[in-house]
């Protein structure tokens, strides 16, 4: 079983439709269902969508979407694919950009032509007019509107198959058009807004990509701003700066996904109030950390005070620019870029802020690790000198480890590893030096006796015991995330996308051969970016951070070998205590037997409450057809 689902740019609209009070948003990260300013559902491959990028959506005659994999319709809770055999040239649809439906017809804006599908007999209906690279398709009242590189044409939507098309305008590419009660037909072109005589009415020289009519007011978008135009005004009113990814009579989205410096755009705004819908994620691309909290995923980065976003709601919060977010026991740790360290409980009701002044000016907190239940973290001062601190009851103490520009702190067994400046130094648990390895690491991971270092030129492997070189994989790729599965497979994220290596075979999942929305964020010398790969064993998935969003990767191999890594705790367990199974896969079943073989309890999940008599019990963990027995002592007090 292999599955992907995505959380990505929920503010970069490509299309929208409304059904009752619900909006359906087509975005590069999937189809999103919203009610008010709340995300109700993000449709994914689990719901039958073929690919993450949804290009267009229609709420007429059911719910339909156009993706890069074809046409799909919603039926009985799942999206089903329309067989394209009915079309003369299916490749036109696979390269299409918009669909519109009215009555028994679906109109499709393809790469070089406009196509029509008739629902009543599942057949393509030819159009007796040839367009020159069509750019625009819309249904306005009872008219079908087409704009191409030469002009603007219209016809009654149910008479398109006749030759009686009206040529409204010839002479320029038409990208959008509306019919205004006072102005008549006006067109958005690559050189301003024109009337049907070719006269420039407004914004000469501007590219007008979108136009929409709300009441008697026109809304329009250029490459740099959104305007409105009242019925009798000859001066468009500039209402919002930014690139509009979509504009409709209901709202518009600012921001585009392929811009290099931000991920989620700058918001969806309602028309005409211009109220911003808030539940829409992070406004930048530098993602630096991820944790799971119950059924939610929290992703943090740099870009403002609210530097963290919650999936699936998209709500944002934060304490400042964040270098990492980690979870240890019932606490969450946020390392801030200049603001120190923040520690909070999982409900965010008890928060401790360790300021830069409390750290002697070392307020740039870059990484943390837990060694024998003690939390250590590494911080910089503004000049780049770094120190390692340890926490005792939320009070930081210097450990005596001082270096320059070290940014990675990692623990394994009884060793602490500190990396920076092309070298990783290894310390015993009493913080005395053990040795060093010359390697420029972006991320560190360990598996058994093997240390793995993600570098700008692949994954280098060393022995933890001898510090000797073992080998290298993924040569010449920049690696920013590492995780080793229970079966020993090495997963890496970086400049190639996501990869899986099992000592014999290498699989690479890139944006071109999977729904991965982008590649993982590359590191920089000043602000190292890592943590682009997170193993969520409990739910059998990997979480990958990319410059275009967050991907969730599900594969049975993620939890392969789980039976060799189960730990039952506490053991013994007191009366009324919750007994948990560490590394238990999500979806497992527990069967509890007495020492004599009598079954006394069945549980769905990975934990159970001790409400049984005193004694020795056998707990069978069952998952995916395999069983693993564990023994636990249950107390009566």
């Amino acid at each position: 079983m292999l599955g992907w689902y995505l959380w990505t740019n929920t503010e970069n609209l490509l299309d929208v439709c409304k059904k009752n009070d619900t909006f359906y948003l087509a975005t590069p990260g999937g189809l999103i269902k919203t009610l008010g300013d709340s995300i109700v559902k993000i449709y994914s491959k689990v719901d039958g969508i073929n690919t993450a990028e949804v290009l267009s959506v229609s709420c007429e005659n059911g719910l339909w979407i156009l993706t890069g994999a074809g046409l799909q319709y919603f039926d009985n809770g799942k999206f089903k694919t329309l067989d394209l055999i009915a079309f003369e040239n299916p490749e036109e649809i696979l390269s299409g950009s918009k669909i519109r439906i009215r009555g028994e017809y679906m109109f499709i804006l393809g790469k070089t032509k406009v196509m029509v599908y008739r629902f009543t007999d599942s057949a393509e209906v030819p159009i007796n007019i040839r367009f020159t690279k069509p750019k625009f398709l819309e249904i306005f009242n009872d008219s079908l509107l087409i704009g191409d590189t030469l002009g603007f044409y219209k016809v009654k939507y149910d008479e398109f198959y006749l030759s009686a098309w009206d040529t409204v305008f010839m002479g320029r590419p038409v990208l959008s058009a509306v019919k205004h009660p006072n102005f008549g037909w006006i067109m958005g072109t690559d050189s301003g807004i024109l009337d049907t005589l070719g006269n420039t009415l407004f914004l000469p020289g501007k590219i007008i990509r979108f136009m929409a009519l709300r009441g008697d007011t026109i809304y329009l978008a250029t490459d740099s701003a959104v305007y409105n135009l009242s019925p009798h005004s000859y001066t468009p009113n500039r209402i919002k700066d930014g690139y509009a990814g979509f504009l409709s009579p209901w709202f518009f989205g600012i921001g585009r996904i392929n811009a290099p410096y931000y991920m989620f755009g700058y918001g969806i705004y309602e028309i005409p109030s211009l109220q911003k819908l808030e539940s829409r994620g992070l406004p930048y691309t530098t993602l630096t950390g991820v944790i799971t909290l119950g059924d939610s995923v929290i992703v943090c980065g740099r870009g403002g005070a609210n530097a963290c976003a919650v999936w699936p709601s998209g709500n944002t919060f934060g304490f400042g620019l964040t270098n990492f977010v980690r979870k240890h026991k019932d606490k969450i740790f946020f390392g801030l870029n200049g603001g120190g360290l923040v520690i909070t409980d999982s409900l965010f009701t008890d928060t401790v802020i360790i300021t830069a002044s409390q750290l002697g000016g070392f307020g740039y907190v870059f990484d943390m690790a837990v060694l024998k239940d003690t939390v250590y973290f590494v911080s910089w001062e503004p000049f780049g000198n770094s120190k390692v601190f340890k926490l005792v009851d939320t009070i930081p103490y210097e450990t005596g480890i001082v270096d320059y520009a070290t940014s990675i702190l990692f623990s394994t067994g009884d060793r602490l590893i500190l990396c920076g400046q092309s070298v990783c130094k290894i310390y015993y648990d009493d913080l005395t030096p053990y040795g060093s390895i010359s390697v420029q690491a972006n991320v560190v991971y360990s598996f058994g006796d093997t240390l793995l270092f993600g570098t700008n030129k692949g994954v280098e492997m060393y022995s933890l015991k001898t510090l000797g070189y073992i080998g290298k994989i993924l040569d010449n790729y920049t690696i920013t995330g590492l995780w080793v599965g229970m079966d020993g497979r090495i997963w890496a994220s970086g400049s190639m996308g996501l990869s899986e290596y099992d000592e014999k075979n290498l699989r690479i999942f890139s944006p071109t051969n999977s729904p991965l929305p982008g590649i993982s964020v590359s590191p920089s010398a000043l602000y190292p970016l890592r943590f682009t790969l997170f193993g969520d064993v409990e739910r059998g998935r990997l979480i990958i951070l990319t410059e275009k969003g967050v991907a969730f990767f599900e594969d049975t191999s993620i939890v392969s070998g789980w039976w060799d890594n189960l730990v039952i705790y506490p053991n013994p367990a007191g009366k009324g205590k919750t007994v948990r199974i560490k590394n238990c896969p999500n979806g497992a079943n527990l069967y509890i037997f007495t020492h004599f073989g009598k079954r006394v309890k069945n549980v769905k999940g990975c934990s159970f409450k001790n409400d049984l008599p005193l004694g020795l019990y056998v707990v069978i963990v069952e998952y995916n057809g395999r069983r693993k027995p564990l023994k636990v002592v249950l107390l009566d007090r």
Side-chain angles (χ1 to χ4, degrees), residues 272-329:
S273 67
L274 300 189
Q275 177 183 355
K276 182 180 180 182
L277 304 187
E278 297 295 342
S279 301
R280 296 295 179 266
L282 302 176
Y284 48 82
T285 186
T286 48
L287 304 177
T288 56
V290 57
I291 62 169
T292 57
L293 193 61
D295 292 329
S296 298
V297 175
I298 296 176
V299 178
C300 296
R302 303 190 188 95
N306 287 347
C308 300
V310 183
W311 183 88
S313 72
N315 294 328
T316 58
F317 72 95
F319 308 95
L321 282 66
T322 304
N323 291 324
F324 69 81
V325 56
R326 296 286 183 85
K327 185 173 63 175
H328 174 57
K329 292 186 174 179

Coordinates of all heavy atoms in Angstrom, one line a residue, residues 272-329:
P272 N -17.3 42.1 -1.2 CA -16.5 43.3 -1.3 C -15.9 43.8 0.0 O -15.3 44.9 0.0 CB -17.7 44.3 -1.7 CG -18.9 43.8 -1.0 CD -18.7 42.3 -1.0
S273 N -16.0 43.1 1.1 CA -15.6 43.6 2.4 C -14.1 43.6 2.5 O -13.5 44.3 3.3 CB -16.2 42.7 3.5 OG -15.6 41.4 3.5
L274 N -13.3 42.8 1.7 CA -11.9 42.7 1.7 C -11.4 42.1 3.0 O -10.3 42.2 3.4 CB -11.2 44.0 1.5 CG -11.5 44.6 0.1 CD1 -10.5 45.8 -0.1 CD2 -11.3 43.6 -1.0
Q275 N -12.3 41.4 3.7 CA -11.9 40.7 5.0 C -11.0 39.5 4.6 O -11.4 38.7 3.7 CB -13.1 40.2 5.7 CG -12.8 39.4 7.0 CD -14.0 38.9 7.7 OE1 -15.1 39.2 7.3 NE2 -13.8 38.1 8.7
K276 N -9.9 39.4 5.3 CA -9.0 38.3 5.0 C -9.5 37.0 5.8 O -9.8 37.1 7.0 CB -7.6 38.6 5.4 CG -6.6 37.5 5.1 CD -5.2 37.9 5.5 CE -4.2 36.8 5.2 NZ -2.8 37.2 5.7
L277 N -9.5 35.9 5.0 CA -9.8 34.6 5.7 C -8.5 34.2 6.4 O -7.5 34.0 5.7 CB -10.3 33.6 4.7 CG -11.6 34.0 3.9 CD1 -12.1 32.8 3.1 CD2 -12.7 34.5 4.8
E278 N -8.5 33.9 7.7 CA -7.3 33.8 8.4 C -6.7 32.3 8.4 O -5.6 32.2 8.6 CB -7.5 34.2 9.9 CG -7.9 35.6 10.0 CD -6.8 36.6 9.7 OE1 -5.6 36.1 9.6 OE2 -7.1 37.8 9.4
S279 N -7.5 31.3 8.2 CA -7.1 29.9 8.4 C -6.3 29.4 7.2 O -6.8 28.6 6.5 CB -8.3 29.0 8.7 OG -8.9 29.5 9.8
R280 N -5.2 30.0 6.9 CA -4.5 29.7 5.6 C -3.0 29.5 5.7 O -2.3 29.7 4.7 CB -4.8 30.8 4.6 CG -6.3 30.9 4.3 CD -6.8 29.7 3.6 NE -8.2 29.8 3.3 CZ -9.2 29.4 4.1 NH1 -8.9 28.8 5.2 NH2 -10.5 29.5 3.7
G281 N -2.4 29.1 6.9 CA -1.0 28.7 6.8 C 0.0 29.8 6.9 O -0.3 30.9 7.3
L282 N 1.2 29.4 6.5 CA 2.4 30.3 6.7 C 2.8 31.1 5.5 O 2.7 30.6 4.4 CB 3.6 29.4 7.1 CG 3.4 28.5 8.4 CD1 4.6 27.7 8.6 CD2 3.2 29.4 9.6
P283 N 3.2 32.3 5.7 CA 3.5 33.2 4.5 C 5.0 33.2 4.1 O 5.5 34.2 3.8 CB 3.1 34.6 5.1 CG 3.5 34.5 6.5 CD 3.2 33.1 6.9
Y284 N 5.6 32.0 4.1 CA 7.0 32.0 3.7 C 7.4 30.5 3.5 O 6.6 29.6 3.8 CB 7.9 32.6 4.7 CG 7.6 32.1 6.1 CD1 8.1 30.9 6.5 CD2 6.8 32.8 7.0 CE1 7.8 30.4 7.8 CE2 6.5 32.3 8.2 CZ 7.0 31.1 8.6 OH 6.6 30.6 9.8
T285 N 8.6 30.3 3.0 CA 9.0 28.9 2.6 C 10.0 28.3 3.5 O 10.3 27.1 3.4 CB 9.5 28.9 1.1 OG1 9.7 27.6 0.7 CG2 10.8 29.7 1.0
T286 N 10.6 29.0 4.4 CA 11.7 28.5 5.3 C 11.1 27.7 6.4 O 11.0 28.2 7.5 CB 12.6 29.6 5.8 OG1 11.8 30.6 6.4 CG2 13.4 30.2 4.7
L287 N 10.7 26.5 6.2 CA 10.2 25.6 7.2 C 11.3 24.9 7.9 O 12.2 24.4 7.3 CB 9.3 24.5 6.5 CG 8.1 25.1 5.7 CD1 7.3 23.9 5.1 CD2 7.2 25.9 6.5
T288 N 11.3 24.9 9.2 CA 12.4 24.4 10.0 C 12.1 23.4 11.0 O 13.0 22.9 11.7 CB 13.1 25.6 10.7 OG1 12.1 26.3 11.5 CG2 13.6 26.6 9.7
G289 N 10.9 23.0 11.2 CA 10.6 21.9 12.2 C 9.2 21.4 12.1 O 8.3 22.1 11.6
V290 N 9.0 20.2 12.5 CA 7.6 19.6 12.5 C 7.5 18.6 13.7 O 8.5 17.9 14.1 CB 7.4 18.9 11.2 CG1 8.5 17.8 10.9 CG2 6.0 18.2 11.1
I291 N 6.3 18.6 14.3 CA 6.0 17.6 15.3 C 4.6 17.2 15.1 O 3.8 17.9 14.4 CB 6.2 18.2 16.8 CG1 5.2 19.4 17.0 CG2 7.6 18.6 17.1 CD1 5.1 19.8 18.5
T292 N 4.2 16.1 15.7 CA 2.8 15.7 15.8 C 2.3 15.9 17.2 O 3.0 15.7 18.2 CB 2.6 14.2 15.4 OG1 3.4 13.4 16.3 CG2 3.1 13.9 14.0
L293 N 1.0 16.3 17.3 CA 0.4 16.6 18.5 C -1.0 16.0 18.4 O -1.9 16.7 17.9 CB 0.4 18.1 18.8 CG 0.0 18.5 20.3 CD1 1.1 17.9 21.2 CD2 0.0 20.0 20.4
G294 N -1.2 14.8 19.0 CA -2.5 14.1 18.8 C -2.7 13.9 17.3 O -1.8 13.3 16.6
D295 N -3.8 14.3 16.7 CA -4.1 14.1 15.3 C -3.6 15.3 14.5 O -3.8 15.3 13.3 CB -5.6 13.9 15.1 CG -6.1 12.6 15.7 OD1 -5.3 11.6 15.7 OD2 -7.2 12.5 16.1
S296 N -3.0 16.3 15.1 CA -2.6 17.4 14.4 C -1.1 17.4 14.1 O -0.3 16.7 14.8 CB -2.9 18.7 15.2 OG -4.3 18.9 15.4
V297 N -0.7 18.1 13.1 CA 0.7 18.3 12.7 C 1.0 19.8 12.8 O 0.3 20.6 12.3 CB 1.0 17.8 11.3 CG1 2.5 18.1 10.9 CG2 0.8 16.3 11.2
I298 N 2.1 20.1 13.6 CA 2.6 21.5 13.7 C 3.8 21.7 12.9 O 4.8 20.9 13.1 CB 2.8 21.8 15.2 CG1 1.4 21.8 15.9 CG2 3.4 23.2 15.3 CD1 1.5 22.0 17.4
V299 N 3.9 22.6 12.1 CA 5.0 23.0 11.3 C 5.4 24.4 11.6 O 4.6 25.3 11.6 CB 4.7 22.8 9.7 CG1 6.0 23.3 8.9 CG2 4.3 21.4 9.4
C300 N 6.7 24.6 11.8 CA 7.2 26.0 12.1 C 8.3 26.4 11.2 O 8.9 25.6 10.5 CB 7.8 26.0 13.6 SG 6.5 25.7 14.8
G301 N 8.6 27.7 11.2 CA 9.6 28.2 10.3 C 9.9 29.7 10.7 O 9.7 30.1 11.8
R302 N 10.4 30.4 9.7 CA 10.8 31.8 9.9 C 9.9 32.7 9.0 O 9.6 32.3 7.9 CB 12.2 32.1 9.6 CG 13.2 31.2 10.4 CD 14.6 31.7 10.3 NE 15.5 30.8 10.9 CZ 16.1 29.8 10.3 NH1 15.9 29.6 9.0 NH2 16.9 29.0 10.9
G303 N 9.5 33.9 9.5 CA 8.7 34.7 8.7 C 7.8 35.7 9.4 O 7.1 36.5 8.8
G304 N 7.8 35.6 10.7 CA 6.9 36.5 11.5 C 6.6 36.0 12.9 O 7.2 35.0 13.3
A305 N 5.8 36.8 13.6 CA 5.5 36.4 15.0 C 4.8 35.1 15.0 O 5.1 34.2 15.9 CB 4.7 37.5 15.7
N306 N 3.8 34.9 14.2 CA 3.1 33.6 14.1 C 3.8 32.7 13.1 O 3.4 32.6 12.0 CB 1.6 33.8 13.7 CG 0.8 34.5 14.8 OD1 1.2 34.5 15.9 ND2 -0.3 35.0 14.4
A307 N 4.8 32.0 13.6 CA 5.7 31.3 12.7 C 5.4 29.8 12.7 O 6.1 29.0 12.1 CB 7.2 31.5 13.2
C308 N 4.3 29.4 13.3 CA 3.9 28.0 13.2 C 2.5 27.8 12.7 O 1.6 28.7 13.0 CB 4.0 27.3 14.6 SG 5.7 27.4 15.4
A309 N 2.2 26.8 12.0 CA 0.9 26.5 11.4 C 0.5 25.1 11.8 O 1.3 24.2 12.0 CB 0.9 26.7 9.9
V310 N -0.8 24.9 12.0 CA -1.4 23.6 12.4 C -2.1 23.0 11.2 O -2.9 23.7 10.6 CB -2.3 23.8 13.6 CG1 -2.9 22.5 14.1 CG2 -1.7 24.6 14.7
W311 N -1.8 21.7 10.9 CA -2.6 21.0 9.9 C -3.6 20.1 10.7 O -3.2 19.5 11.7 CB -1.6 20.1 9.1 CG -2.3 19.4 8.0 CD1 -2.5 19.8 6.7 CD2 -2.9 18.0 8.1 NE1 -3.2 18.8 6.0 CE2 -3.4 17.7 6.9 CE3 -3.0 17.1 9.1 CZ2 -4.1 16.5 6.6 CZ3 -3.6 15.9 8.9 CH2 -4.1 15.6 7.6
P312 N -4.9 20.0 10.2 CA -5.3 20.4 8.9 C -6.0 21.8 9.0 O -6.5 22.3 7.9 CB -6.4 19.3 8.6 CG -6.9 18.9 9.9 CD -5.8 19.0 10.9
S313 N -6.1 22.4 10.1 CA -6.9 23.7 10.2 C -6.3 24.8 9.4 O -6.9 25.7 8.9 CB -7.2 24.1 11.6 OG -6.0 24.5 12.2
G314 N -4.9 24.9 9.4 CA -4.2 26.0 8.8 C -4.1 27.2 9.8 O -3.5 28.2 9.4
N315 N -4.6 27.0 11.0 CA -4.4 28.1 12.0 C -3.0 28.3 12.3 O -2.2 27.4 12.3 CB -5.2 27.8 13.3 CG -6.7 27.7 13.0 OD1 -7.2 28.5 12.2 ND2 -7.4 26.9 13.8
T316 N -2.6 29.6 12.6 CA -1.2 29.9 12.9 C -1.1 30.4 14.3 O -2.0 31.0 14.9 CB -0.7 31.0 11.9 OG1 -1.5 32.2 12.0 CG2 -0.7 30.5 10.5
F317 N 0.1 30.3 14.8 CA 0.5 30.8 16.1 C 2.0 30.8 16.2 O 2.7 30.5 15.2 CB 0.0 29.9 17.3 CG 0.7 28.6 17.4 CD1 1.8 28.4 18.3 CD2 0.4 27.5 16.6 CE1 2.5 27.2 18.4 CE2 1.1 26.3 16.7 CZ 2.1 26.2 17.6
G318 N 2.5 31.3 17.3 CA 4.0 31.3 17.4 C 4.5 32.3 18.4 O 3.8 33.1 19.0
F319 N 5.8 32.3 18.6 CA 6.5 33.2 19.5 C 7.6 34.0 18.8 O 8.3 34.8 19.5 CB 7.1 32.3 20.6 CG 6.2 31.4 21.3 CD1 6.1 30.1 20.8 CD2 5.3 31.8 22.3 CE1 5.2 29.2 21.4 CE2 4.4 30.9 22.9 CZ 4.3 29.6 22.4
G320 N 7.7 33.8 17.5 CA 8.7 34.5 16.8 C 9.4 33.6 15.7 O 8.9 32.4 15.6
L321 N 10.4 34.1 15.0 CA 11.0 33.3 14.0 C 11.6 32.0 14.7 O 12.4 32.1 15.7 CB 12.2 34.1 13.4 CG 11.7 35.1 12.3 CD1 10.9 36.2 12.9 CD2 13.0 35.7 11.6
T322 N 11.3 30.9 14.2 CA 11.5 29.6 14.8 C 12.6 28.8 14.1 O 12.4 28.5 12.9 CB 10.2 28.8 15.0 OG1 9.3 29.6 15.7 CG2 10.5 27.5 15.8
N323 N 13.6 28.3 14.8 CA 14.7 27.5 14.2 C 14.3 26.0 14.3 O 14.8 25.2 13.5 CB 16.0 27.8 14.8 CG 16.6 29.1 14.5 OD1 16.4 29.6 13.4 ND2 17.2 29.8 15.4
F324 N 13.6 25.6 15.3 CA 13.2 24.2 15.5 C 12.0 24.2 16.4 O 11.7 25.1 17.2 CB 14.3 23.3 16.0 CG 14.7 23.6 17.4 CD1 14.0 23.0 18.5 CD2 15.8 24.3 17.7 CE1 14.3 23.2 19.8 CE2 16.2 24.5 19.1 CZ 15.4 24.0 20.1
V325 N 11.2 23.1 16.2 CA 10.2 22.7 17.2 C 10.4 21.3 17.5 O 10.5 20.5 16.6 CB 8.8 23.0 16.7 CG1 8.5 22.4 15.4 CG2 7.7 22.6 17.7
R326 N 10.4 20.9 18.8 CA 10.6 19.5 19.3 C 9.7 19.2 20.4 O 9.2 20.1 21.1 CB 12.1 19.3 19.8 CG 13.1 19.5 18.7 CD 13.2 18.4 17.7 NE 14.3 18.6 16.8 CZ 15.6 18.2 17.0 NH1 15.9 17.7 18.2 NH2 16.5 18.4 16.1
K327 N 9.4 17.9 20.5 CA 8.5 17.5 21.6 C 9.3 16.5 22.4 O 10.0 15.6 21.9 CB 7.3 16.8 21.0 CG 6.2 16.4 22.0 CD 5.0 15.9 21.3 CE 5.2 14.7 20.5 NZ 3.9 14.2 19.9
H328 N 9.2 16.6 23.8 CA 9.9 15.7 24.7 C 8.9 15.5 25.9 O 8.6 16.5 26.6 CB 11.2 16.2 25.2 CG 11.9 15.4 26.2 ND1 12.1 14.0 26.1 CD2 12.3 15.7 27.5 CE1 12.7 13.5 27.2 NE2 12.8 14.5 28.0
K329 N 8.5 14.3 26.1 CA 7.5 13.9 27.1 C 6.3 14.8 26.8 O 5.7 14.7 25.8 CB 8.1 14.1 28.5 CG 9.2 13.1 28.8 CD 9.7 13.2 30.3 CE 10.6 12.1 30.6 NZ 11.1 12.2 32.0

